[in-house]
Amino acid sequence: MKTTTRVAVIGGGVVGCSVLYHLTKLGWADVMLIERSELTSGSTWHAAGGFHTLNGDTNMAALQGYTIKLYKELEELTGMSCGLHHVGGVTLADNQERFDMLLAERAKHRYMGLETEIVDPEEIKKIAPVTNTDGILGALYDPLDGHLDPSGTTHAYAKAARMGGATIETHTKVIETNQRSDGSWDVVTDKGTIHAEHIVNAGGLWAREVGAMAGVYLPLHPMEHQYIVTDDIPDIYEMGSEHPHVMDPAGESYLRQEGRGLCIGFYEQPCRPWAVDGTPWDFGHELLPDDYDKIEDSIAFAYKRFPVLETAGIKSVIHGPFTFAPDGNPLVGPVPGLRNYWSACGVMAGFSQGGGVGLMLAQWMIEGETERDTFAMDVARFGQGVITPGYTLPKVIENYQKRFSVAYPNEELPAARPFRTTPMYDIFSDMGAVWGQQYGLEVANYFARAEGEPSYETPSFRRSDAFNATAREVTAVRNAVGINEVHNFGKYLITGPNAREWLDRVMAGRIPKQGRLSLTPMLSPKGRLIGDFTVSCLGEEEFQLTASYGSQAFHTRWFEQNMVDGVALENISDKRNGFQIAGPNAREVLAACTRTDISDMRFMDVRKICVGMTDCIVQRVSYTGDLGFEIYCDPMAQRQLWWTLWNEGQTHGMQPFGMRAMMSLRLDKFFGSWLSEFSPDYTAAETGMDRFISFKKNTDFIGRAAAEAERETPPARQLCAFEVNADDADVVGYEPIWIDGTVQGFCTSGGYSHFAGKSIAQALIPRALAHEGLAVEIEILGAMRKATLITEPLFDADGARMRGA
């Protein structure tokens, strides 16, 4: 056995073998895989082996498409069979909400190059003849759907990796992982110690235990899952061609042909978590006992949807565990807080996602970044020290139960909530707050304060029943003054003698003078947007940064990877809180609450001010695009600050407002939103963020060469705003833009401007076509909606109110 290697991949399932192969494919040959038993031990060997492209996140869907297309390449490369069955598949919709979801997904697929289509019940019967279409409105057909041989595919990955120089050690159990001072690792096994520069945790069912060896908690949990293989069915083996897949969300089932019969699996509501306190090391080739009781209702439903099942005998029952993360997506990437430690875990759909996971992780390790935004599967989306096993378990159960449920754009899932709250939680709840959550933190979406306003927002693809409450809050901000918390900003304190120099390198924009703040993008080496920050200079060696709260582990990881001596970084996201007040009366409210003269406080000024009894950092800036102030304080004093502002605010028409109103208000100024308009999928020049880059500063900031190249040769696409002739549904994101009869762009986000009374979308389209008045069509829930490109903001177009004295 080798005793040194560049990368040690721990785990020999389909994901570990995919990572190993992709590392060799991208040029790293000195890599090895360590498996405690045989390849495929764990979840891989008993998987149903289905694959599909359907995923609510477009980047995940694209990676699933890559995975599926990779299998033929593997077969050609290795001469081994993956047992491919490209039979196509339909996902059924039995109500309007499910059909709306399929329409939205089909629209996304248009610009992604996926050849899916919406089919009616008559077409469903032709495609999948064993399906009872009573009550079915339609379905999404995907010709790429299919299934394969799990063992053959895993061994094909392994052979391809060996051909690229990799080594594989089976029957070798990892006992410890110990990091050396230089960041490399000693992987202690029962056959000796291996010194590795990098570790990849692809432990599958044992990923939690492998992570614990390095002192890290990975939020995932195994769930029991059961599928049934029938005896021969004449309606199947007499078809003459293989029956396609059928996904039946109403019945929480998936069905495909298996030999001369059928295979059907269930995501039943009375589901069961497995190995709650840890996966036994001696488990691997066993199955769990058959359990018909928990799928009794699911089987009864399946008999109605697929009547041939009722008279079919059962050949075998496969009941085994596999792992989920709290949101069902994988946990991939560099683990925050550790050097050279990578995660490739929680891949519950290994044969749909395994290839994409391997490719992204290999790119990340070798090239420093991935070719597309991977936040939906980034392990950093769950912060270390924030998410706990007690939180993970109910969220994983919820995710399993909702595996086939409609995923609404405005849905707030209830499990494990409330988890983390601020001092304002009870006060806001008493005021009618309707809560959402971000990164485990409760965030007010809106306030049900008027008669008839719902205390629960009904999930919908169309304008929700929170529409009127949101309109009321927007009106309060634009006509008087609104107040909300700033707790959903990630906040960082940067101090030290080299703080300014470091920020100049990490941030592409201008670093402000003392008492001022600036807006700046943060770029990857390839010029991709990895941050959208406000930088506030509180002193020559003291800066506060604010950005997305949900990306704090993602951003902290980047800061730590690029840290230098003479700089101290502290994540103060939960140590500094406060409020935003915005609207024409905001200055009067603040002035009445402090003895400090703020009459000369300019737009983008920052000062330390005592407000009421509370020492605060006050910034004159607002994401609402209105006259406004962000007021930060110690959370221990936040309630006192609240009553100071609120009591004074009552004479000025103050009302609380939530995130629904905030996201409407920002549309009035065409402000972008993180992970919508601004993400690692886009560059600064594509999104207009290049106007905040300081090309004059004498610093080789990260991403400068790429940004300058786009300055010389502008990118092919440009972010623009559109007024949409919508009906009862607005743009959410990723709807295709039709120009002259073809799809030439897509929406990044949108919504309804309650101030202007208009539906607004932001979209990336060809730069050459981006001119005032461009007429396009946007496909929203299957309907073509006319839209016009607009360049003048709907509110305060000249900035007089936002910037004025």
Side-chain angles (χ1 to χ4, degrees):
M1 184 176 72
K2 291 173 57 176
T3 58
T4 62
T5 186
R6 191 169 198 172
V7 181
V9 178
I10 301 174
V14 65
V15 174
C17 290
S18 172
V19 170
L20 193 72
Y21 162 64
H22 281 93
L23 286 170
T24 64
K25 184 178 181 180
L26 271 60
W28 281 11
D30 181 21
V31 295
M32 69 185 300
L33 183 146
I34 308 166
E35 163 57 41
R36 65 178 185 90
S37 183
E38 297 282 356
L39 296 184
T40 77
S41 299
S43 296
T44 296
W45 76 270
H46 61 70
F51 53 78
H52 56 88
T53 59
L54 187 64
N55 191 293
D57 182 272
T58 55
N59 279 310
M60 290 301 301
L63 290 174
Q64 290 175 196
Y66 164 81
T67 300
I68 294 167
K69 293 173 183 177
L70 175 65
Y71 293 133
K72 288 185 178 179
E73 178 184 321
L74 273 179
E75 290 184 328
E76 292 171 0
L77 177 65
T78 64
M80 297 179 67
S81 172
C82 293
L84 289 176
H85 296 257
H86 273 292
V87 295
V90 289
T91 301
L92 307 176
D94 68 331
N95 58 41
Q96 189 59 51
E97 287 76 19
R98 285 197 174 95
F99 195 59
D100 282 349
M101 183 181 77
L102 297 184
L103 291 171
E105 291 304 309
R106 171 64 188 109
K108 295 177 186 178
H109 294 165
R110 292 192 193 277
Y111 74 88
M112 294 171 62
L114 297 175
E115 299 300 324
T116 58
E117 60 180 296
I118 298 294
V119 294
D120 61 24
E122 185 175 333
E123 292 171 298
I124 295 169
K125 288 292 293 182
K126 293 177 182 177
I127 296 168
V130 303
T131 307
N132 175 8
T133 58
D134 290 349
I136 297 297
L137 301 184
L140 181 73
Y141 173 70
D142 187 346
L144 284 180
D145 277 11
H147 57 277
L148 45 66
D149 170 25
S151 179
T153 300
T154 303
H155 282 279
Y157 273 126
K159 182 176 179 180
R162 287 191 181 103
M163 291 169 65
T167 59
I168 296 176
E169 296 291 340
T170 58
H171 299 284
T172 304
K173 181 181 177 182
V174 174
I175 301 171
E176 298 177 14
T177 57
N178 302 313
Q179 191 161 41
R180 295 187 180 184
S181 59
D182 64 357
S184 64
W185 291 84
D186 286 327
V187 182
V188 182
T189 78
D190 57 359
K191 293 183 178 178
T193 298
I194 302 161
H195 179 220
E197 182 181 346
H198 299 271
I199 284 179
V200 176
N201 182 347
L205 290 174
W206 297 267
R208 293 175 298 173
E209 287 71 29
V210 173
M213 294 177 188
V216 65
Y217 170 65
L218 295 170
L220 50 82
H221 203 288
M223 295 291 294
E224 298 181 2
H225 182 65
Q226 196 164 207
Y227 65 89
I228 295 170
V229 179
T230 73
D231 287 328
D232 294 357
I233 299 175
D235 286 7
I236 294 299
Y237 64 74
E238 293 176 356
M239 276 184 59
S241 61
E242 190 168 357
H243 196 281
H245 288 210
V246 182
M247 307 275 278
D248 181 22
E252 299 161 336
S253 70
Y254 58 88
L255 174 141
R256 67 167 175 83
Q257 185 170 338
E258 175 66 24
R260 291 159 58 90
L262 289 170
C263 164
I264 185 167
F266 305 100
Y267 283 86
E268 68 284 354
Q269 292 302 300
C271 59
R272 293 198 185 99
W274 182 78
V276 173
D277 296 316
T279 303
W281 284 108
D282 59 356
F283 184 86
H285 293 282
E286 305 88 345
L287 288 174
L288 306 177
D290 299 349
D291 189 346
Y292 291 103
D293 289 344
K294 70 173 180 174
I295 59 172
E296 181 179 2
D297 292 342
S298 299
I299 291 175
F301 195 98
Y303 285 166
K304 296 176 183 177
R305 181 70 73 218
F306 310 107
V308 296
L309 292 173
E310 195 162 8
T311 56
I314 295 177
K315 179 183 294 185
S316 60
V317 178
I318 310 298
H319 190 200
F322 65 118
T323 57
F324 281 82
D327 59 4
N329 277 342
L331 300 172
V332 180
V335 174
L338 291 179
R339 292 172 60 191
N340 300 334
Y341 192 99
W342 306 78
S343 175
C345 309
V347 189
M348 54 75 56
F351 294 98
S352 291
Q353 300 172 342
V357 166
L359 176 65
M360 292 298 100
L361 192 63
Q363 288 180 350
W364 219 329
M365 296 177 72
I366 296 171
E367 301 171 9
E369 59 184 288
T370 57
E371 68 184 54
R372 61 176 65 247
D373 178 16
T374 54
F375 191 79
M377 65 178 182
D378 191 335
V379 66
R381 72 188 186 277
F382 299 110
Q384 291 292 315
V386 176
I387 303 303
T388 67
Y391 173 90
T392 298
L393 179 57
K395 293 304 288 186
V396 164
I397 293 171
E398 176 185 65
N399 186 269
Y400 185 99
Q401 292 172 326
K402 288 185 168 292
R403 172 74 173 143
F404 283 150
S405 297
V406 178
Y408 297 96
N410 68 325
E411 187 173 20
E412 297 287 353
L413 300 177
R417 293 179 55 202
F419 178 37
R420 306 178 73 242
T421 61
T422 76
M424 291 303 298
Y425 184 76
D426 60 333
I427 294 176
F428 279 175
S429 292
D430 290 344
M431 297 177 73
V434 179
W435 296 96
Q437 71 84 34
Q438 184 182 26
Y439 204 68
L441 178 69
E442 294 295 310
V443 177
N445 281 337
Y446 67 94
F447 293 80
R449 289 171 59 79
E451 185 176 352
E453 292 177 353
S455 58
Y456 169 77
E457 183 181 10
T458 305
S460 177
F461 285 93
R462 302 170 192 274
R463 291 174 188 160
S464 81
D465 48 7
F467 189 84
N468 291 336
T470 303
R472 176 182 52 75
E473 293 175 11
V474 167
T475 299
V477 173
R478 290 290 184 240
N479 293 345
V481 59
I483 184 168
N484 72 354
E485 276 190 282
V486 291
H487 61 322
N488 58 335
F489 290 161
K491 312 170 196 80
Y492 313 89
L493 186 63
I494 309 296
T495 57
N498 295 333
R500 178 178 292 276
E501 180 182 357
W502 181 76
L503 284 169
D504 251 331
R505 179 177 174 274
V506 172
M507 300 294 174
R510 178 181 55 83
I511 305 305
K513 297 178 180 178
Q514 185 169 341
R516 296 286 288 168
L517 59 91
S518 65
L519 306 179
T520 172
M522 186 166 70
L523 305 179
S524 75
K526 295 182 180 179
R528 299 282 173 171
L529 289 169
I530 57 173
D532 167 28
F533 281 84
T534 299
V535 179
S536 307
C537 183
L538 307 178
E540 281 306 311
E541 297 184 5
E542 181 185 8
F543 297 83
Q544 175 179 281
L545 313 183
T546 55
S548 166
Y549 185 87
S551 295
Q552 58 185 280
F554 172 82
H555 286 143
T556 299
R557 181 180 64 196
W558 181 252
F559 293 150
E560 291 175 344
Q561 288 171 350
N562 291 280
M563 191 49 64
V564 298
D565 292 338
V567 180
L569 162 71
E570 184 182 2
N571 182 349
I572 57 170
S573 298
D574 298 318
K575 297 179 180 178
R576 193 167 286 176
N577 204 347
F579 303 96
Q580 173 185 193
I581 58 173
N585 298 342
R587 183 188 287 107
E588 284 80 0
V589 171
L590 181 59
C593 294
T594 179
R595 299 182 64 83
T596 301
D597 181 9
I598 63 165
S599 62
D600 62 343
M601 193 169 183
R602 300 169 296 164
F603 180 62
M604 306 290 270
D605 272 357
V606 56
R607 296 180 183 175
K608 293 182 178 179
I609 297 174
C610 186
V611 181
M613 295 188 292
T614 308
D615 285 334
C616 300
I617 296 169
V618 179
Q619 304 186 159
R620 189 177 155 191
V621 68
S622 173
Y623 189 52
T624 65
D626 214 314
L627 168 65
F629 301 87
E630 292 173 355
I631 308 169
Y632 298 90
C633 69
D634 182 338
M636 294 293 287
Q638 187 181 0
R639 291 164 73 99
Q640 189 280 326
L641 177 62
W642 161 259
W643 290 117
T644 296
L645 294 169
W646 180 251
N647 290 336
E648 178 58 37
Q650 295 315 289
T651 63
H652 299 276
M654 178 178 280
Q655 291 290 324
F657 69 102
M659 288 305 297
R660 297 284 186 258
M662 177 79 87
M663 297 308 282
S664 174
L665 290 159
R666 63 106 181 176
L667 290 174
D668 298 340
K669 299 282 281 188
F670 309 153
F671 287 168
S673 175
W674 181 243
L675 296 183
S676 293
E677 283 68 44
F678 310 138
S679 87
D681 274 335
Y682 315 129
T683 67
E686 287 178 321
T687 58
M689 285 293 284
D690 55 338
R691 69 187 184 276
F692 297 116
I693 292 179
S694 177
F695 290 104
K696 293 181 179 180
K697 67 180 184 180
N698 187 27
T699 305
D700 186 21
F701 57 81
I702 297 172
R704 179 163 193 153
E708 286 185 333
E710 285 202 321
R711 193 183 187 196
E712 293 296 321
T713 306
R717 58 188 183 181
Q718 178 178 328
L719 184 68
C720 300
F722 290 86
E723 181 180 330
V724 187
N725 183 20
D727 184 15
D728 63 344
D730 302 298
V731 159
V732 173
Y734 299 109
E735 294 84 352
I737 301 284
W738 293 76
I739 304 174
D740 297 330
T742 61
V743 175
Q744 299 191 49
F746 63 93
C747 297
T748 53
S749 74
Y752 191 79
S753 165
H754 290 276
F755 167 76
K758 296 177 178 180
S759 183
I760 301 297
Q762 297 195 71
L764 284 162
I765 64 167
R767 183 175 296 268
L769 302 178
H771 58 79
E772 178 81 29
L774 173 70
V776 306
E777 289 184 302
I778 301 178
E779 185 177 349
I780 303 177
L781 300 182
M784 304 299 283
R785 298 294 176 185
K786 296 184 182 300
T788 304
L789 193 152
I790 55 177
T791 57
E792 183 172 295
L794 307 174
F795 167 76
D796 193 31
D798 61 359
R801 193 147 106 186
M802 181 176 71
R803 299 172 180 272

